[in-house]
Amino acid sequence: TEIYTLSLHDALPISDATYKLMWQGFPVLMVGTTDKNKCFHPYCLAVTKSETQEDFEFIFKSVKQAAEANTKKPFSPTVLVADSAEQITSAFTDVFGPNIRRVNCWAHVVRNAEKKLNHFVKNEAVRDSIWKDIYALQVSPNETTFLKACELWVKKWTANSGAGVSDFVKYFHDSWILVNSGWYEGRAPGHPSTNNALESTNNVLKKEHTFRERLPIAQFLSVAVSTVNSWSRTRSPLSNNAKIFATSPTIGTKIWTHAFQWASDHSMTVLSRDDSYYVAKHGDTVTDAKIAQYEKYAAKLHWKSFDVYSKSQSSIRKINLQREDWGTATCSCAIFQKNYICKHSLGLAIRLKLTDAPAIAKTIPIGLKRKRGRPSKATSALSKDYPST
């Protein structure tokens, strides 16, 4: 089957297995990638007897050979997103080389750590506080910041005398900081930190192709071939409503509305330094002193405690934007790290008059949120449209 996925060589493989598709219980392994809209694009489907390193190595080699045969170019991805299974990482490095960046799926970290936290810590308020701090760790912008923040996190919660807290801190430190630590957003900027898109595709495979029934292996293989052919056809540029690989995030009405309202809020001060722009969180004012302190912390990592780190990271948004190419703007906020677009980066482009929000984004009064669902259409002639309240 021909590979139609665009920007294949800039994409990253995401791999995982699903079960309960065949009576024999064999795992079904899937490899693919996500685009900037977090849409999953499968590369292949494989049925194996187990999930060994040799199994994944065979799959990655097959993907590499197919990609290079179709594009006539080397296929050398450098980022892998998967759960914490070591055999996936070892197989990937054997096929594509040692210079890779391994992203541990954040959703897997949450599921495993949440069970341990509930087991060790019975105080709900303490659990909530610990989770809040772990989420602050997860949005670390780079490795050096993450490691320093982890050090401060361990120091803060080791000093806590609450029942079970020290046990959880030891578990989390040993399992998710010393090893399997690649679950923070800055691990691979511009790439997802979870394999949720793949898990969703696994669900579609069960729901729409096997109809949640376990099939004999021969029948399942027939379904699998039909499924893979369907995936390829729907990604052909010649197909109606083709699923084209998105190289930039699609800006929907909701984000346009938030960005326009943010840009229209004149109480929000923005200070610029070359191609960098700084804005304080809502209700605060950004000053030269705050910017200097923010950059000092970022450069020297001189946070006195984890609480100081967490506050400094969220107190200022740093937006990098070049006027001649505003579409490549980046922002330090967590929303941008996860979605590759946010109201700050888009709103700044609107404020600088580098782009303009569509008319539909301006229909909601400043300070109000857009209701869920599709915006209502215009009324009939001779009828008056009243603004929503």
Side-chain angles (χ1 to χ4, degrees):
T1 303
E2 184 174 357
I3 296 178
Y4 288 108
T5 303
L6 300 181
S7 299
L8 187 62
H9 300 279
D10 296 328
L12 77 162
I14 298 179
S15 181
D16 205 353
T18 185
Y19 288 84
K20 300 181 180 179
L21 295 176
M22 291 163 287
W23 283 112
Q24 292 79 2
F26 296 139
V28 176
L29 310 183
M30 190 181 301
V31 179
T33 189
T34 58
D35 60 19
K36 292 300 183 180
N37 285 331
K38 296 186 176 181
C39 177
F40 184 72
H41 299 270
Y43 287 165
C44 74
L45 201 64
V47 178
T48 65
K49 289 185 178 180
S50 58
E51 295 181 66
T52 65
Q53 178 177 335
E54 290 73 19
D55 294 325
F56 283 103
E57 192 170 321
F58 172 79
I59 294 170
F60 290 141
K61 284 182 178 178
S62 300
V63 170
K64 179 179 175 65
Q65 292 170 0
E68 293 180 345
N70 277 271
T71 63
K72 309 303 180 184
K73 297 179 181 179
F75 180 55
S76 301
T78 57
V79 177
L80 169 69
V81 178
D83 59 24
S84 301
E86 182 61 33
Q87 58 268 32
I88 301 179
T89 304
S90 299
F92 194 79
T93 54
D94 285 349
V95 175
F96 298 109
N99 298 321
I100 70 165
R101 188 158 288 269
R102 173 67 151 78
V103 178
N104 291 87
C105 175
W106 166 235
H108 283 79
V109 177
V110 170
R111 285 195 289 269
N112 285 279
E114 188 173 32
K115 293 177 183 178
K116 290 292 186 178
L117 182 61
N118 292 338
H119 172 73
F120 285 124
V121 182
K122 303 305 180 182
N123 188 305
E124 184 176 355
V126 175
R127 289 203 305 264
D128 291 343
S129 184
I130 291 175
W131 264 125
K132 180 181 178 181
D133 286 353
I134 292 177
Y135 278 113
L137 287 175
Q138 201 272 328
V139 295
S140 298
N142 52 60
E143 184 175 11
T144 54
T145 300
F146 173 75
L147 294 176
K148 180 62 178 180
C150 285
E151 177 186 327
L152 296 172
W153 180 86
V154 171
K155 182 178 180 181
K156 172 184 176 178
W157 287 104
T158 300
N160 188 287
S161 59
V165 173
S166 61
D167 293 329
F168 175 77
V169 171
K170 184 179 186 307
Y171 154 77
F172 195 84
H173 176 264
D174 294 346
S175 301
W176 303 110
I177 296 178
L178 286 183
V179 296
N180 302 321
S181 61
W183 41 268
Y184 56 94
E185 290 294 338
R187 177 69 172 175
H191 298 300
S193 58
T194 71
N195 61 2
N196 290 348
L198 182 149
E199 297 286 4
S200 178
T201 303
N202 282 337
N203 187 52
V204 171
L205 178 63
K206 295 176 181 179
K207 184 178 180 181
E208 298 182 5
H209 296 279
T210 66
F211 303 104
R212 296 199 178 280
E213 294 183 2
R214 295 192 184 191
L215 306 176
I217 187 167
Q219 184 178 349
F220 176 79
L221 290 177
S222 176
V223 171
V225 170
S226 174
T227 300
V228 172
N229 284 331
S230 174
W231 286 342
S232 188
R233 285 195 303 270
T234 56
R235 284 162 177 80
S236 167
L238 303 178
S239 173
N240 293 328
N241 300 318
K243 294 182 179 179
I244 303 300
F245 190 94
T247 56
S248 60
T250 300
I251 306 176
T253 301
K254 182 177 180 179
I255 186 64
W256 272 120
T257 301
H258 289 171
F260 174 74
Q261 293 196 351
W262 183 88
S264 302
D265 186 356
H266 297 293
S267 65
M268 198 77 66
T269 58
V270 178
L271 296 183
S272 63
R273 300 290 183 272
D274 298 325
D275 291 331
S276 296
Y277 298 80
Y278 301 83
V279 60
K281 65 180 182 181
H282 189 74
D284 290 344
T285 301
V286 64
T287 63
D288 290 330
K290 289 182 179 180
I291 293 175
Q293 186 181 51
Y294 175 86
E295 291 294 356
K296 177 182 176 181
Y297 281 145
K300 298 184 178 181
L301 310 180
H302 282 175
W303 300 288
K304 296 180 180 179
S305 67
F306 185 84
D307 291 338
V308 172
Y309 160 78
S310 181
K311 183 179 179 180
S312 68
Q313 290 296 97
S314 61
S315 61
I316 288 182
R317 310 300 186 198
K318 181 180 180 181
I319 309 165
N320 294 319
L321 180 148
Q322 297 180 351
R323 289 174 176 265
E324 60 273 15
D325 190 13
W326 66 267
T328 61
T330 63
C331 180
S332 63
C333 75
I335 297 297
F336 183 91
Q337 292 185 68
K338 294 178 181 296
N339 299 327
Y340 322 125
I341 189 73
C342 69
K343 67 179 181 181
H344 309 114
S345 57
L346 183 57
L348 181 61
I350 295 174
R351 180 175 285 200
L352 296 177
K353 301 188 184 303
L354 302 178
T355 186
D356 189 25
I360 195 172
K362 304 175 183 179
T363 59
I364 303 298
I366 302 298
L368 296 182
K369 295 183 178 180
R370 183 176 295 279
K371 295 181 180 179
R372 296 181 62 183
R374 186 183 65 186
S376 58
K377 296 182 179 180
T379 55
S380 304
L382 305 181
S383 298
K384 183 177 180 180
D385 288 325
Y386 292 95
S388 60
T389 57

